Each structure stands twice: as C-alpha cells, then as structure tokens.
C-alpha cells in the first residue's frame, strides 16, 4: 500500500489503529508495529444512534495523540453493528425469499422453522420448494427444473417487498453446482430492475454439513445486505475523512479471530457476528501473556464481555 511504501522510503515509525464500536461506547487504540506491539494512544467516547460519529471522534483523538511522524498503515474495526440490528429487530432488515432445492425430500422442516416468531414475521417473504438437491456423496437427487425456477422468478419479481433471495440445497457444501445454476437462472429470468437483487447461495455463508445451519446463516446474511451496503460506504467515508488515515487500509474483524476487507464485509456481514467476544478473547489472551509471562494454554481463562446489548462468556 501507499502508506507502507512511504514508511520504507522515509523510515518512519508504523502504527495500526483499532476501533471497537459498541452499543454504548466506542473505544480506539493506536499501537506501534515496530519492535513489538506498544500502546501509543487511546480514547473512549459514548456511542450515539449515529455509530459513525463515535468512530470518527474516537479515531481522530487517537491520531491527534500519536507521534507527529507516525504513519498509520491500517484501521481495524470491531463492531456489533449488524448483530444488534437483528437482536433489536431493526426495521432496516430486508425481507428474504427462500428457494429450497430437494422437492418432497426436504419438506419436513421448512425454512424459518427455528426462527423466533417476531424475527420470522419481520424478514420472511415466502418460501419455495423446487426439484433438485444432492445426496451426501454429491450425486443428484433430482435435476433442477428450469420451468419451476422460471415460475418462481416471476412470482418473486412481482413482489416489490422482497429485497433478497436465498438459494438452499442439500449437501451444497459438497457440491454447490445446483445453487449456482439457480442463481444464474434467476438473473436471466428477471427484468433489468430486479437483476440487482441480492441472491445468496447457502454454501457461500457456511461450510457446515447441516443444511439448516447453512440456510439460516444465508437468510440472516441476505436480510442484512441492503443495510451493509450503506454501512460500508459510511465506514469508508468516515475513515478517509480523518487526517492521517486517507491512505490506511480498512478492515473489519470476523468471528474466527481474523480480519476481512470492506468488500468482503459488504457481501458477508454475518461473518462479523460474534466478533465482539472473539476480539475480547484475543485481547485477554494477549494481556495474560504480558502480565503473567505465561501462555494461555498453560493457565486457561474465563472472559466475560458485558456489552450494552448482549453479554458473552468465553473459556480459553
């Protein structure tokens, strides 16, 4: 990146900025990268209904407190923004239609079966059972019916309230071909005004062998996509508006302890779910190592993350 090349050429100190955007408070820290992680500056501010405002304020204070010659190469943001929208049943959640392949073999437990009633009412835009599906070894149960897909596409196109579609198939974690084919057919069937509708294949959001888990993850992800589009634009605009961060790379934390780009978060906002307690756990492991000079695997720990909306407990 530009900032990294600048550091190499001019031999300046490099830093990273981390921001935790919570429901009640937003916290930011700046740490040095050279010679091990060292806290340089920090700031805490109350979160408001406009979460971006808190992000900008906290990040700006951290940058202002950092050394004058520092170059901040990246900004990593941890947020419960998307999780809270589901927990609080936000009206910004989109309505989702589910196309399940497998026909009569998959009707016992219909889509949305284990969703809370109020959430189901808010985002369920209808379900469609069509031919298709795979066995555990990846062999077809039945081929996809183009006629059925065309009929479903017409029905979805006529419903203006639908903001996203999920395509779910048994054992798509082994063979995703039918899900991808149906996605392609839907786009072909729709007029230009519907071709930009979000279509999520269940195998894209989860690799679990459990079809319901894949399907449920895809449904939640799809309901968040309109929401995430605006959120990612706001985050990018907010970070680049801060002096000293215009050339910094921007990342969001995931629930597996790693980070992802804004473009990935735009497509898979559900992967930020659970990132809060994951971030807390990683931080706790680091602090235990620093304070007691021992590995977390040797001592173990219980981490309690008490937030403004949810509380989470993890065991390390």
């Amino acid at each position: 990146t530009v900032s990294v090349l600048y550091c190499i050429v001019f031999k300046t100190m490099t830093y990273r900025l981390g921001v935790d955007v919570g429901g009640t408070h937003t916290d930011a820290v700046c740490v040095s990268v050279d010679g091990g992680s060292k806290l340089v500056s920090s700031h805490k501010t109350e979160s408001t209904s406009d979460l971006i405002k808190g992000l900008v304020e906290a990040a700006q204070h951290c940058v202002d407190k950092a050394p004058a010659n520092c170059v901040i190469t990246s900004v990593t943001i941890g947020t419960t923004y998307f999780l809270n929208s589901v927990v609080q049943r936000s009206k910004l959640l989109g309505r989702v239609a589910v196309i399940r392949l497998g026909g009569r073999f998959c009707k016992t437990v219909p889509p949305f079966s284990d969703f809370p009633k109020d959430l189901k009412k808010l985002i369920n835009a209808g379900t469609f059972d069509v031919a298709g599906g795979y066995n555990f070894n990846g062999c077809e149960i039945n081929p996809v019916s183009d006629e059925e897909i065309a009929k479903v596409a017409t029905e979805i196109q006529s419903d203006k309230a639908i903001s996203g579609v999920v395509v779910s198939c048994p054992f798509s974690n082994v063979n995703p071909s039918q899900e991808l084919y149906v996605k392609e057919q839907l786009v072909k069937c729709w007029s230009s005004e519907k071709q930009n509708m979000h279509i999520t294949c269940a195998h894209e959001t989860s690799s679990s062998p459990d079809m319901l888990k894949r399907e449920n993850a895809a449904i939640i992800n799809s309901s968040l996509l309109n929401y995430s589009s605006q959120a990612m634009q706001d985050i990018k605009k907010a970070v680049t508006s801060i002096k000293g961060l215009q050339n910094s790379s921007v990342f969001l934390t995931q629930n597996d302890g790693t980070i992802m780009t804004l473009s990935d978060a735009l497509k898979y906002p559900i992967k930020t779910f659970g990132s809060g307690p994951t971030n807390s756990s990683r931080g706790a492991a680091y602090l235990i190592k620093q304070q007691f000079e021992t590995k977390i695997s040797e001592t173990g720990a219980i981490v309690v993350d008490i937030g403004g909306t949810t509380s989470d407990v993890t065991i390390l």
Side-chain angles (χ1 to χ4, degrees):
T1 66
V2 174
S3 53
V4 172
L5 290 173
Y6 183 92
C7 295
I8 294 171
V9 174
F10 295 99
K11 296 182 179 180
T12 54
M13 296 287 287
T14 56
Y15 299 81
R16 290 176 183 158
L17 191 71
V19 186
D20 175 46
V21 184
T24 53
H25 289 88
T26 297
D27 301 271
V29 295
C30 182
V31 297
S32 64
V33 177
D34 305 305
S37 298
K38 181 181 178 182
L39 181 64
V40 175
S41 62
S42 64
H43 186 78
K44 176 187 287 287
T45 185
E46 288 189 1
S47 296
T48 63
S49 56
D50 181 4
L51 298 179
I52 300 301
K53 183 179 178 181
L55 188 158
V56 172
E57 182 181 337
Q60 185 67 71
H61 275 80
C62 264
V63 173
D64 292 343
K65 293 176 186 177
N69 68 332
C70 81
V71 173
I72 297 174
T73 58
S74 67
V75 179
T76 302
I77 301 167
T79 181
T80 55
Y81 191 65
F82 299 111
L83 174 61
N84 289 349
S85 68
V86 175
V87 172
Q88 296 168 350
R89 307 299 191 254
S90 170
K91 293 181 180 179
L92 294 175
L93 294 173
R95 292 180 62 76
V96 182
V98 180
I99 301 173
R100 184 187 279 181
L101 307 173
R104 62 187 179 86
F105 295 97
C106 296
K107 288 188 175 182
T108 305
V109 184
F112 294 99
S113 289
D114 52 358
F115 274 61
K117 289 182 180 178
D118 57 342
L119 181 60
K120 178 180 178 179
K121 183 178 179 181
L122 183 64
I123 67 174
N124 182 5
T127 62
F128 304 89
D129 291 301
V130 297
Y134 291 104
N135 288 303
F136 68 92
N137 60 358
C139 294
E140 265 190 4
I141 296 174
N142 284 306
V144 173
S145 167
D146 289 348
E147 185 178 340
E148 272 189 304
I149 300 304
K151 184 178 179 181
V152 170
T154 301
E155 194 168 336
I156 291 173
Q157 183 170 313
S158 65
D159 190 338
K160 305 297 182 183
I162 298 175
S163 67
V165 176
V166 165
V167 183
S168 176
C169 173
F171 293 105
S172 62
N173 59 309
V174 177
N175 188 346
S177 300
Q178 286 190 353
E179 286 187 355
L180 294 171
Y181 177 75
V182 170
K183 181 177 182 177
E184 183 182 312
Q185 292 302 109
L186 288 173
V187 174
K188 286 181 179 179
C189 291
W190 285 336
S191 62
S192 56
E193 80 176 84
K194 276 284 187 181
Q195 284 182 348
N196 292 326
M197 178 182 283
H198 303 296
I199 305 173
T200 304
C201 293
H203 76 273
E204 295 172 338
T205 54
S206 173
S207 59
S208 170
D210 186 327
M211 186 183 80
L212 288 178
K213 286 184 178 179
R214 290 196 308 275
E215 185 176 87
N216 289 345
I219 291 170
I220 294 296
N221 191 76
S222 184
S223 73
L224 289 165
L225 289 176
N226 285 338
Y227 202 29
S228 69
S229 178
Q230 186 60 52
M232 294 307 110
Q233 290 178 41
D234 290 346
I235 289 172
K236 183 65 176 177
K237 185 178 180 180
V239 172
T240 55
S241 71
I242 300 170
K243 186 178 180 181
L245 299 182
Q246 287 87 347
N247 295 317
S248 302
S249 301
V250 184
F251 303 99
L252 262 67
T253 57
Q254 298 189 101
N255 51 24
D256 63 354
T258 61
I259 58 177
M260 60 179 168
T261 62
L262 290 186
S263 59
D264 284 338
L266 178 66
K267 293 183 288 186
Y268 306 114
I270 195 173
K271 292 186 178 182
T272 66
F273 281 31
S275 63
T278 305
N279 296 340
S280 299
S281 299
R282 291 200 64 179
Y286 176 80
L287 291 174
I288 288 170
K289 183 179 179 181
Q290 294 295 308
Q291 186 168 348
F292 300 105
E293 296 183 352
T294 182
K295 294 180 179 179
I296 193 69
S297 59
E298 297 172 355
T299 60
I302 294 176
V303 183
V304 183
D305 182 345
I306 303 175
T309 312
T310 58
S311 295
D312 302 275
V313 180
T314 56
I315 299 176
L316 302 178

